[in-house]
Amino acid sequence: MGPLLKISRLIDAISNLVGRTLIWLVLAATLISAGNAIVRKTLNIGSNAMLEIQWYLYAAVFMLGGGYALLKNTHVRIDVLSNKFSARTRAWVDIGGIVIFLLPMCYLLSVFAWPIVMSAIKTGEVSSNAGGLIRWPLYALVPAGFGLLALQGLSELIKRIAFLRGAGPDPMALPHDPHADSGAAPDAPAAKAGQ
């Protein structure tokens, strides 16, 4: 499990770096939006490119931030059910969700999006708005975002398998969980062996 956990930590570091970088895109989009509004209201000058870059930046945040959301466990989860499961059952449910739903979905969406990206590059597709931006960078966010999400899904899969094998802590342990400090959940084999 050691080499796989190293890969998992590397993927986590990449997701963390991407997530922290995306914060700056929110700031950039906000400043562009404010500047665009000020120029439009005071000088009566507008720019479709400046309007489009705002939603390109927001699209980048949402598309590229999925892996970071999964890493930080801020994604949508049915907590009413999940909180009733033991840590081991929750790990098994997560493994099933990752293998059956998350990874295939990421693969399919990336495969279906890629021809659209390539077509937009070949044709030089541009926004239909006057002065609009090229489209392929926006389209490329789909396979890039789902690629990052798939990588983080792989990392989460490794962590849950390590937990079930007693080679790692419960990845879902909350900071206030008394077992989170010990590195193992109460029903992990390592915790039982120490009792």
Side-chain angles (χ1 to χ4, degrees):
M1 278 311 306
L4 289 176
L5 286 170
K6 285 181 182 177
I7 292 169
S8 175
R9 284 191 292 274
L10 175 63
I11 293 169
D12 289 353
I14 291 168
S15 292
N16 203 35
L17 177 65
V18 169
R20 292 183 179 278
T21 303
L22 291 175
I23 292 168
W24 294 103
L25 294 185
V26 174
L27 176 62
T30 303
L31 292 174
I32 290 168
S33 177
N36 200 26
I38 291 168
V39 169
R40 191 174 60 248
K41 296 294 182 187
T42 59
L43 303 175
N44 202 25
I45 299 172
S47 166
N48 284 333
M50 294 306 283
L51 289 172
E52 287 184 10
I53 196 67
Q54 292 171 51
W55 61 269
Y56 275 38
L57 291 172
Y58 282 121
V61 170
F62 288 106
M63 288 306 305
L64 301 177
Y68 182 72
L70 185 58
L71 170 67
K72 297 298 182 182
N73 195 31
T74 57
H75 59 290
V76 176
R77 176 183 293 279
I78 304 173
D79 289 331
V80 174
L81 296 176
S82 178
N83 288 339
K84 294 182 182 193
F85 297 150
S86 70
R88 293 183 65 77
T89 302
R90 202 168 41 239
W92 278 112
V93 169
D94 285 350
I95 287 171
I98 291 167
V99 171
I100 296 169
F101 299 110
L102 180 69
L103 294 178
M105 178 201 66
C106 290
Y107 172 77
L108 288 174
L109 288 172
S110 295
V111 166
F112 289 140
W114 191 249
I116 296 168
V117 175
M118 296 310 295
S119 174
I121 291 171
K122 287 178 187 173
T123 62
E125 184 179 342
V126 178
S127 168
S128 59
N129 297 319
L133 302 175
I134 56 173
R135 291 287 192 196
W136 73 262
L138 184 66
Y139 297 157
L141 291 173
V142 175
F146 282 105
L148 289 169
L149 182 58
L151 270 177
Q152 189 58 45
L154 183 62
S155 174
E156 298 302 316
L157 183 63
I158 291 167
K159 288 186 270 190
R160 277 145 183 85
I161 291 170
F163 167 66
L164 290 172
R165 295 183 69 191
D170 178 7
M172 295 295 298
L174 299 174
H176 66 274
D177 185 347
H179 301 290
D181 296 333
S182 68
D187 53 349
K192 288 181 181 175
Q195 292 178 348

